[in-house]
Amino acid sequence: MARVKIVLNMNSGFPKKTALTVLTFLVLVAVPELLPALKNYRSLDFGRIGSLLDLPLPKPTEVAEAVAAAALRPAGANAKNAASHPTGAGAKIFLSPGEFTNPKQLLDPSGEMDKFYSSLGALSGGQSQGVHILHYGDSPTTADLITADARSLFQRQFGDGGLGFVLVAKPWAWYNHRGIDMSASADWTIDIGGLSQIRDGRNGLGGVSFVGRNGASAKWKLRDRSHTRAEIAYLSQPDGGEFSLEADGKMIGTASTAGETGSPGFSQFDIPEGAREFALKVTRGPVRLYGVDFRKGAAGVVYASLGVNGANITLLSKTFDQKHWTAQLQHYQPSLVIINYGTNESGFSDFVDTTWGGELRRVIRRLRAALPGTSILLMSPMDRGDKDSGGNIVTLAALPRLVAMERQIAVEEHVAFFNTFEAMGGVGTMARWYASEPRLVGSDFIHPMPAGARIVGELLFSAIHKGYDDYRGAPEGAPLTTATPSTGAPERGNMQGAPINSERVTERAPGKGLDKGIDKAEPVGLQQSPAANTDDSGKKESKPPSADSTKTEENVP
């Protein structure tokens, strides 16, 4: 890349702020080009600038052909036909969500999900006030990508129980929870699990805590005015301070966080009818808060998106204090916990081959000890791409091995497994997504665009719903049971946008363990991409992802 020397004369009449903004932009664009370690943060692909002038638009016939091909494609052909898609520079692929509507990748030979399906059935039958889902993950979960779409589908199907758990403030600029706008004062001290300064493992349900003193404040603006209750989660401490909560400018209550050292605390507040703007203020410090849980009076599903940016499996296996996490989990009483890591780990082959499996098993055992009656679903990472020496986008070498290992662990530990990687197309998916119109993944070949996230969210929901249909014995092709969001009462009908037709992939027989319908998958070995896992000098990395090395005492092996 050619070096450009920029000289700014601040006395020339050119606006200073404009000049500094332009200079900052140029630096942000140039630094990832000069430092290989930051290649995933490139904001501009110089090799594709010429294509911007071309402004290619998909022809109607091309779109029609792609959709028709998807409709005629046999079940499971996404992965098998991955190599048939062009992935070279300049190739354009016009994809439709119709290519990703076959929910064939939920494996549950031991019936782990039956507990969750029973909860859904009770909710649909008017015998339950709600079903709570916790979804732990990394950066896509942090931005409420995938999870927001899955949440929307669950709530349209089974009733809307409310927004659920939201952090006090934004630890990252892109932190998001669909349906709520957030803001906060700058005087909070934010402590993130895995990067913790406090290092006690007590960071609440979502892995992040917020320490504030007098005057610290946080605001939430809800788009839906029908919530009836707000619950603030905090850490009780002998010197704990107090906070107040306002709704539409009127005080609705105060709470003290003084109490036993290190014990979780929760304060509930009734929400006035129609209120949508909430303000929390620290009136006496210090307080250590975790988040707010917004609920509705109607029965329905609550789906919590619990993402920590850059997280890996060790966040749950080592960083979280077991006693504290157990208390959090038991308070929120989830019917289903989804564990969705692996993307960050896949860049470290040695970690995948030597450490990943053991840490995942440890998380499962921790959850089993805390929530013996709750279903556990392992959700594999999406495909992750990188450029090889020829400039082609290829699947990271360790990723298929990680997914195969996760699948085998799910079988051995008797938990359910959703193969996101294969459901979205398997090897080479991110190359196709990046070349597609519209583009479905960002230029890092990791983070999905909103349209791509919607595809994955629909795949997850469709697979779980197909399992629920099988559990309740619904005939193939029967209409879905939908719930009216205002009352939670079920009615018959079809839900738009939810792909539900699929073929059964898991068969269970009492006392027979694995059924012959589950094929034995061996780890897939691929050649290591020359561009993968390099530091500034170009040397390959073999260290595991960084994580808070603090180990907490627990009784779980």
Side-chain angles (χ1 to χ4, degrees), residues 375-393:
S375 296
I376 300 173
L377 173 63
L378 304 185
M379 181 177 177
S380 87
M382 297 178 289
D383 185 30
R384 176 178 174 181
D386 198 2
K387 284 190 176 181
D388 63 14
S389 57
N392 297 308
I393 303 170

Side-chain angles (χ1 to χ4, degrees), residues 258-281:
E260 182 182 349
T261 302
S263 61
F266 307 88
S267 292
Q268 292 188 10
F269 302 85
D270 292 330
I271 296 176
E273 185 176 358
R276 63 178 299 202
E277 296 189 24
F278 302 87
L280 181 148
K281 297 180 181 178

Side-chain angles (χ1 to χ4, degrees), residues 76 102-107 417-424 463 505:
N102 204 332
K104 289 170 51 60
Q105 299 297 335
L106 178 61
L107 304 183
F417 173 63
F418 177 67
N419 197 332
T420 319
F421 176 67
E422 289 295 344
M424 66 188 292
V505 293

Side-chain angles (χ1 to χ4, degrees), residues 369 459 557:
L459 283 168

Side-chain angles (χ1 to χ4, degrees), residues 85-128:
H85 290 277
T87 58
K92 297 293 179 186
I93 305 169
F94 304 105
L95 300 180
S96 162
E99 292 198 57
F100 305 94
T101 57
N102 204 332
K104 289 170 51 60
Q105 299 297 335
L106 178 61
L107 304 183
D108 186 18
S110 62
E112 169 69 6
M113 293 290 287
D114 287 1
K115 294 170 285 187
F116 177 64
Y117 297 149
S118 177
S119 298
L120 287 180
L123 178 62
S124 294
Q127 301 173 352
S128 168

Side-chain angles (χ1 to χ4, degrees), residues 125-177:
Q127 301 173 352
S128 168
Q129 284 301 304
V131 168
H132 197 186
I133 301 171
L134 303 182
H135 189 135
Y136 281 98
D138 42 36
S139 50
T141 314
T142 300
D144 205 19
L145 293 171
I146 301 172
T147 47
D149 295 294
R151 179 187 308 116
S152 176
L153 291 169
F154 270 107
Q155 292 182 339
R156 287 170 57 189
Q157 174 72 24
F158 297 100
D160 184 351
L163 285 171
F165 183 87
V166 183
L167 294 177
V168 169
K170 292 189 175 188
W172 314 275
W174 52 89
Y175 176 80
N176 185 49
H177 189 103

Side-chain angles (χ1 to χ4, degrees), residues 57-73:
L57 295 175
K59 299 177 181 179
T61 54
E62 291 176 306
V63 177
E65 289 172 2
V67 175
L72 295 173
R73 185 174 300 167

